[in-house]
Amino acid sequence: MPLSRILLALCISLHFGAYLNAKQPLAESFLLNGNAKAGSIALAERLKEHPDDSQARFGLGVIQFFGAVENLGQSFYRYGLRDVSNSVGNMIPLLRLPVPQNPNPETLTYEDSRRILQSFVDELNVADQTLAKLDDPDVKLPLHITEIKLDFIGNGSEPVMLQTILISMRATRESRELFVVFDRADATWLRGYCHLLSAMCEFVLAHDGQEIFDATAQLFFQKVKSPFPFLQEGRRVFDFVGQFDVADAIAFIHLIRMPVKEPERMKVALQHLELVLEYSGEMWQLTMAETDNDHEWIPNPKQQGELGLGVSQAMIDSWLMATKEGTEVLQGKRLIPFWRGNEKRGVNLRRVFTEPTPFDLVLWIQGTAAAPYLETGDTTRPEVWTRLQQVFRGELIVFALWFN
């Protein structure tokens, strides 16, 4: 038997022993040691023997989610993800993962980049399917979440604390210890996030990004396969303090004009977005029915949340009104008001996904890319979005990232 399998088996047996002795959630015993892979195997085995162990099922879904993020980080490390904190890559959430710098990265191809995203989507789907089988209304999963570790290198030598990841992803502004008792509502919340991330990836995979990769991938990775090797060596046009060429950043924005490669993926992305809004409503329904006050992740107005952010009934009401409005927009029942000229028609967002055309960011901002989707009909009500802004008092983005 290979040494790696022997060590994996030993790791699993030790964690099982700790779980049985201390009653610590089995999932946490792996997450705190950065052993998501071993944890996934151990919890799957636990469920084979005890299929009614709802905490194990919840824990498996959580570990599978973190495992997907960890594997994404390991792929980024393998191909030498750059520190994008001061570059255009900072605008792309997934590239903000605090992956250690690889001193000897492999060369990234465009095909590799698509494979990485597809693997991430596949693993998110596994986590979602596990959580979908969770039907215990009283399930609890206590976790010291900021102490969770992810192994982005793949050998356990330099684990990254989840707290560091949350700060890099701008999910929190400060370093603090968080102990949360996740419940049934939070499982639905996590399913929503699985679908949100999947929607983003499917949108990218629906388009042909070969041109933008060939010209600008060096902004994000140390070694890339490109027909323009001079972009990765020697002189620059507008050097930004030795970190990247401003001309490359401009080219990146200019080249966000991608042809449709796999149109069916746009429909899949739409389905993911519809599920995000559906699970948001379900999450709040479950949250509002809670009567305890046990280290809440997302509290109702009578509970206290561990993040220290209060949630009022007005916030929940306005959020649910906005998700209902958003659902009608995705269904094509309401249109997005057009932003140019005296045009009375609106944009049918559903048709953007079901009848995709090449995506050109600049032309969408200008308005001409929206022209094929203009229709006469009811537009989304501005008072819904105005109220949302007013109720959240200028912190809508912070709460939106939290609420999902």
Side-chain angles (χ1 to χ4, degrees):
M1 180 183 293
L3 178 60
S4 60
R5 291 189 180 180
I6 295 175
L7 293 174
L8 183 60
L10 179 61
C11 174
I12 291 174
S13 65
L14 289 173
H15 282 276
F16 261 124
Y19 166 68
L20 293 173
N21 291 330
K23 293 301 181 182
Q24 177 190 35
L26 185 56
E28 183 176 70
S29 66
F30 286 96
L31 288 169
L32 298 190
N33 288 280
N35 293 320
K37 182 178 180 180
S40 182
I41 295 172
L43 283 157
E45 290 297 320
R46 170 74 182 173
L47 286 172
K48 284 182 182 179
E49 298 178 7
H50 304 276
D52 295 330
D53 189 339
S54 56
Q55 186 185 83
R57 190 173 303 282
F58 196 174
L60 177 59
V62 170
I63 277 191
Q64 288 170 336
F65 175 82
F66 282 121
V69 175
E70 183 175 81
N71 289 335
L72 179 67
Q74 289 181 7
S75 293
F76 286 167
Y77 177 80
R78 175 183 176 184
Y79 293 109
L81 178 68
R82 296 184 185 277
D83 179 0
V84 300
S85 57
N86 292 316
S87 76
V88 67
N90 197 37
M91 298 186 300
I92 305 173
L94 292 180
L95 295 184
R96 292 203 296 266
L97 283 176
V99 176
Q101 294 295 294
N102 188 343
N104 188 30
E106 297 181 25
T107 299
L108 178 71
T109 67
Y110 176 60
E111 291 72 23
D112 290 329
S113 69
R114 291 184 65 86
R115 175 183 55 77
I116 290 169
L117 285 183
Q118 183 61 63
S119 295
F120 186 49
V121 170
D122 292 343
E123 291 170 7
L124 289 173
N125 181 61
V126 170
D128 175 61
Q129 291 304 307
T130 297
L131 295 168
K133 298 174 184 177
L134 188 66
D135 55 9
D136 180 359
D138 300 317
V139 65
K140 299 278 189 176
L141 181 65
L143 292 175
H144 295 81
I145 61 173
T146 47
E147 296 178 26
I148 291 173
K149 300 182 183 71
L150 297 184
D151 179 13
F152 288 149
I153 294 180
N155 59 11
S157 63
E158 200 174 332
V160 179
M161 302 290 289
L162 181 58
Q163 187 166 249
T164 302
I165 298 172
L166 292 174
I167 292 173
S168 296
M169 302 298 286
R170 300 175 188 166
T172 183
R173 298 191 185 104
E174 59 183 7
S175 211
R176 57 184 296 185
E177 292 185 7
L178 285 176
F179 172 71
V180 176
V181 179
F182 292 94
D183 53 33
R184 181 66 182 81
D186 301 317
T188 302
W189 171 87
L190 185 56
R191 292 191 70 192
Y193 250 106
C194 286
H195 286 283
L196 178 61
L197 293 170
S198 294
M200 294 165 56
C201 293
E202 290 287 0
F203 181 88
V204 174
L205 290 169
H207 296 86
D208 186 348
Q210 183 75 63
E211 184 181 19
I212 193 171
F213 179 92
D214 288 344
T216 66
Q218 71 279 355
L219 278 169
F220 316 115
F221 291 90
Q222 297 178 51
K223 293 171 65 176
V224 297
K225 183 179 179 181
S226 164
F228 312 114
F230 54 81
L231 295 175
Q232 303 176 59
E233 58 191 24
R235 292 172 295 181
R236 293 174 173 177
V237 181
F238 302 111
D239 189 272
F240 182 78
V241 295
Q243 296 185 34
F244 66 95
D245 194 325
V246 176
D248 290 342
I250 295 172
F252 177 79
I253 302 298
H254 173 69
L255 290 174
I256 303 180
R257 54 182 192 194
M258 302 175 289
V260 178
K261 182 181 181 71
E262 299 181 40
E264 288 303 310
R265 286 186 181 271
M266 287 292 284
K267 296 178 183 177
V268 175
L270 174 63
Q271 293 168 1
H272 283 302
L273 291 175
E274 289 175 326
L275 286 171
V276 171
L277 297 181
E278 177 183 330
Y279 291 146
S280 182
E282 182 180 328
M283 182 272 290
W284 279 115
Q285 183 179 6
L286 292 167
T287 299
M288 291 302 296
E290 293 176 8
T291 57
D292 63 348
N293 188 17
D294 189 9
H295 299 86
E296 303 296 332
W297 176 241
I298 297 181
N300 64 39
K302 296 180 180 179
Q303 297 172 320
Q304 291 182 331
E306 289 301 298
L307 287 176
L309 298 174
V311 176
S312 67
Q313 188 63 51
M315 287 179 173
I316 298 172
D317 291 342
S318 61
W319 181 265
L320 290 175
M321 185 179 296
T323 56
K324 182 178 183 296
E325 193 83 357
T327 298
E328 292 183 350
V329 169
L330 290 179
Q331 292 173 342
K333 296 178 180 179
R334 288 191 179 275
L335 309 175
I336 298 175
F338 192 48
W339 50 93
R340 291 301 303 267
N342 297 317
E343 181 63 65
K344 302 299 182 184
R345 294 177 296 172
V347 178
N348 186 327
L349 184 61
R350 185 175 187 85
R351 288 181 51 221
V352 174
F353 289 90
T354 59
E355 304 169 25
T357 55
F359 179 74
D360 190 313
L361 177 63
V362 173
L363 294 186
W364 266 102
I365 295 172
Q366 183 222 16
T368 53
Y373 306 109
L374 291 176
E375 294 180 4
T376 300
D378 294 332
T379 58
T380 182
R381 295 167 294 174
E383 60 268 23
V384 172
W385 311 107
T386 300
R387 181 186 175 190
L388 195 67
Q389 291 282 356
Q390 292 173 342
V391 167
F392 285 92
R393 303 181 299 275
E395 294 189 306
L396 178 59
I397 294 178
V398 173
F399 278 88
L401 288 172
W402 182 27
F403 286 178
N404 183 28

